[in-house]
């Protein structure tokens, strides 16, 4: 059973989602390789080689691969299709972009957002915004999976390093430029706060915040707690905050130790992104708001009274 875990290169050397994908792969088998495609990736490859339980890091370098374009990266992964049975991606924006194209190329189904692995071909995944958990059995010889990071812990890092194997495909005149997409630019949002997906405390605001300026009320509390700031889709759609802060079915999926929902009603699409949080606190003036059904602690009241009190108490 050969398993290929696809790495998503990042200059920050953040191995979190890769280590979680390896952890998931270990539930399938022990013959695990990591594939790293990019340009100038040696530091990342070295870091990845210390993930315990992997056999080797396979590296493909080409200047065209420095951009995270799914069309081009799929051409690399397809080159290894005969050697592996499982192709595992983290369910990040990039993984969710590349994996379907790989599955299409291999002419197999994709198993999305896997939260548990029962065997080499039986996977567990949420459907209907997390209201139903489906157990699905793969029929195809090749399996393409995306892994929900909040459902798996990180594979250990060890002192010993796995082999790093550079594979050169240039001598075959093989081009990784699919010619289907072009990279124009990217804008990275910079923040002093922890990122939403890594934070152990998140404070999220909803439509009840009334406007973007009022998010400063959350920021003051977040500063005291070292928390990240999230938002509901209603808050994003209303233009209060940017959409990279959205949590939920069509936003980010998080599971921090503490999640504080402020002025958020608790629609199922929002719960889909945060209900696995360890402790959930809800602040809402409507005692019938659905968020109270999953909250460990609920405060019924006006957020514009409660949040300053909370800030003062902290
Ligand atoms: P509302 O539902 O309007 O709730 C506002 C809450 O604030 C109310 O409960 C109100 O009592 C409370 N409030 C108002 N004023 C105060 C005050 N002064 N003090 C205290 N409480 C106050 N939503 C997401 O969040 N994430 C998603 O990823 C997402 N994906 C979606 C995908 C699809 C396909 C669809 C159809 C919907 C999706 N939604 C998503 C939208 C979702 O259905 C809800 O519309 C949204 O979550 C509501 O956001 P909200 O709770 O901020 O707003």
């Amino acid at each position: 059973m050969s398993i290929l875990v696809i790495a998503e290169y990042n200059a920050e050397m953040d191995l979190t989602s890769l280590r979680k994908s390896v952890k998931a792969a270990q539930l399938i088998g022990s013959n695990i390789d990591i594939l790293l495609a990019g340009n100038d990736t040696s530091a990342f490859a070295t870091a990845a080689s210390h993930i315990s339980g992997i056999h080797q890091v396979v590296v493909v370098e080409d200047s065209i691969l420095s951009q995270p374009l799914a069309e081009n990266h799929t051409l690399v992964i397809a080159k290894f299709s005969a050697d592996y049975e499982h192709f595992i991606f983290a369910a990040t924006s990039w993984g969710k972009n590349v994996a379907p194209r790989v599955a299409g190329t291999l002419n197999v189904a994709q198993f999305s957002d896997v939260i548990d692995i029962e065997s080499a071909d039986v996977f567990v995944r949420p459907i209907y915004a997390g209201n139903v958990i489906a157990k699905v059995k793969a029929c195809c010889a090749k399996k393409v999976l995306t892994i929900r990071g909040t459902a798996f812990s990180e594979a250990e890092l060890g002192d010993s390093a796995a082999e790093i194997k550079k594979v050169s495909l240039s001598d075959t005149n093989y081009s990784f430029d699919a010619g289907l997409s072009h990279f124009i630019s990217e804008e990275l949002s910079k923040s002093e706060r922890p990122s939403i997906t890594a934070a152990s405390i998140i404070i999220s605001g909803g439509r009840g915040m009334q406007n973007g300026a009022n998010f400063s009320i959350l920021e003051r509390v977040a500063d005291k707690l070292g928390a990240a700031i999230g938002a509901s889709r209603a808050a994003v759609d209303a233009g209060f905050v940017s959409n990279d802060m959205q949590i939920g079915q069509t936003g980010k999926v998080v599971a921090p130790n503490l999640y504080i929902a402020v002025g958020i009603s608790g629609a199922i699409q929002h719960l889909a992104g945060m209900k696995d949080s360890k402790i959930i606190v809800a602040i809402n003036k409507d005692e019938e708001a659905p968020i109270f059904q999953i909250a460990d602690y609920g405060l019924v009241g006006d957020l514009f009274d409660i949040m300053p009190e909370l800030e003062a108490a902290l």
Side-chain angles (χ1 to χ4, degrees), residues 4-73:
L4 189 63
V5 177
I6 320 301
E8 176 180 353
Y9 173 81
N10 62 79
E12 296 75 35
M13 307 291 144
D14 182 357
L15 297 176
T16 310
S17 54
L18 180 59
R19 288 169 62 190
K20 289 180 174 191
S21 297
V22 170
K23 193 76 177 180
Q26 287 169 341
L27 295 173
I28 297 172
S30 55
N31 196 2
I32 303 168
D33 289 351
I34 289 174
L35 173 63
L36 175 62
N39 193 33
D40 196 12
T41 59
S42 54
F44 192 94
T46 303
S49 70
H50 286 276
I51 299 177
S52 300
I54 62 162
H55 174 56
Q56 60 182 356
V57 180
V58 179
V59 175
V60 178
E61 291 214 329
D62 191 302
S63 58
I64 198 83
L65 299 172
S66 60
Q67 311 303 346
L69 298 175
E71 295 77 7
N72 299 343
H73 278 261

Side-chain angles (χ1 to χ4, degrees), residues 156-271:
E156 304 283 316
L157 290 175
D159 290 335
S160 61
E163 183 194 351
I164 298 174
K165 184 175 156 192
K166 281 207 171 189
V167 176
S168 171
L169 301 169
S170 55
D171 52 339
T172 59
N173 283 332
Y174 190 79
S175 170
F176 294 123
D177 186 359
L180 294 169
S181 54
H182 297 283
F183 181 85
I184 296 173
S185 68
E186 68 182 348
E187 260 178 56
L188 295 175
S189 55
K190 288 205 172 85
S191 170
E192 297 298 305
R193 298 183 193 289
S195 78
I196 289 182
T197 42
S200 61
I201 303 177
I202 298 175
I203 305 179
S204 284
R207 203 196 308 265
M209 297 305 298
Q210 296 183 355
N211 57 50
N214 284 340
F215 268 72
S216 61
I217 299 170
L218 305 188
E219 285 165 10
R220 289 200 293 273
V221 174
D223 286 343
K224 294 196 182 272
L225 294 173
I229 307 264
S232 71
R233 176 157 156 183
V236 170
D237 286 352
F240 298 173
V241 289
S242 63
N243 65 0
D244 59 338
M245 292 166 68
Q246 183 179 318
I247 289 170
Q249 183 187 338
T250 42
K252 299 204 164 84
V253 177
V254 298
N257 291 331
L258 174 61
Y259 187 88
I260 307 177
V262 185
I264 291 178
S265 60
I268 53 165
Q269 295 90 354
H270 187 78
L271 304 188

Side-chain angles (χ1 to χ4, degrees), residues 279-302:
I279 294 175
I280 297 171
V281 175
I283 298 170
N284 197 303
K285 67 180 181 186
D286 175 10
E287 64 180 37
E288 302 289 332
I291 189 82
F292 287 126
Q293 289 169 18
I294 61 147
D296 299 284
Y297 299 92
L299 281 171
V300 179
D302 192 319

